[in-house]
Amino acid sequence: NMAPYWDELQTIAASRDAQKKSYKSTKNWSTGNSTHFLGLVAEAAFSCYTGLDLNKSLSPSGDLGYDFIINGRTVDVKGTQYFNDPHLKQYPTPKVWVDYYFLVGIDIAQKRAKIFGYATREEIQNATMKDYGYGPQRVVECKDLHTMEEFDVL
C-alpha cells in the first residue's frame, strides 16, 4: 500500500519534472504519467520492503545509474504499470551496468505497488532483445525473475 506516501512522491516527481521539462524522458507517453513519479513509487516500494532510505533529492544530471547500494552491490529499480505479464526492460547500453535490476508493478488507481522480482546484471546482459516501439531493449519476462526470497544480499 503506497497511499501514505503518494502525495509526497507526487510533489517530488513534480519538482523533478519541472527541473527536466525539456527532457524527452519525463513523460510515459503510453499512460501520460510522469516517469519520475512512476520511478519514485517503484523505489519507495523497494525502500519500504528493504528498510533502505529513498533518495528524495533533486539532481539536474540525474542519478548515477543506480537507485540503491546494498552491501557494496548496486541496484536499479524499474517501475511498470503492467500487472499482467510485466517485463523487466533495460536499454542495450545503460549509463552503468548495475548488479541487480528489480521490477516493481505500480497500480495508480489503487495506489499500490508490488515487487515482482529481480534479475542479475549477467541475466540482463544476456537477455533477449525486443523492440516495443521505442528502440530495442533487453527483456526478462516476469516468470524468469528471481523472487524476493532469493535475494540474499540484504
Side-chain angles (χ1 to χ4, degrees), residues 12-149:
I12 296 168
S15 296
R16 289 182 181 177
D17 287 345
Q19 181 181 34
K20 298 180 178 186
K21 64 183 174 187
S22 64
Y23 289 38
K24 66 179 180 177
S25 64
T26 19
K27 190 166 289 248
N28 182 322
W29 297 109
S30 64
T31 65
N33 290 303
S34 158
T35 57
H36 293 117
F37 179 64
L38 298 175
L40 275 168
V41 173
E43 291 167 25
F46 187 82
S47 172
C48 288
Y49 183 88
T50 61
L52 297 168
D53 291 334
L54 176 65
N55 180 359
K56 299 177 185 177
S57 65
L58 297 179
S59 174
S61 59
D63 62 26
L64 298 173
Y66 57 86
D67 301 310
F68 297 92
I69 296 179
I70 305 172
N71 295 326
R73 307 280 179 104
T74 52
V75 171
D76 191 17
V77 179
K78 304 287 188 183
T80 181
Q81 291 185 80
Y82 298 100
F83 266 78
N84 297 325
D85 192 30
H87 296 166
L88 177 59
K89 303 171 193 170
Q90 175 61 54
Y91 284 103
T93 54
K95 187 185 316 187
V96 63
W97 288 103
V98 302
D99 296 303
Y100 299 100
Y101 295 82
F102 283 80
L103 180 61
V104 177
I106 302 159
D107 181 344
I108 297 286
Q110 297 195 27
K111 298 181 180 177
R112 63 185 177 130
K114 176 183 179 182
I115 302 175
F116 287 111
Y118 72 94
T120 65
R121 172 188 340 190
E122 293 78 16
E123 290 165 337
I124 290 287
Q125 288 174 330
N126 293 314
T128 302
M129 297 290 279
K130 185 172 181 178
D131 191 333
Y132 292 86
Y134 305 100
Q137 298 181 68
R138 299 175 190 279
V139 177
V140 178
E141 294 184 22
C142 189
K143 66 180 179 58
D144 297 322
L145 296 175
H146 299 277
T147 65
M148 289 304 291
E149 293 75 27

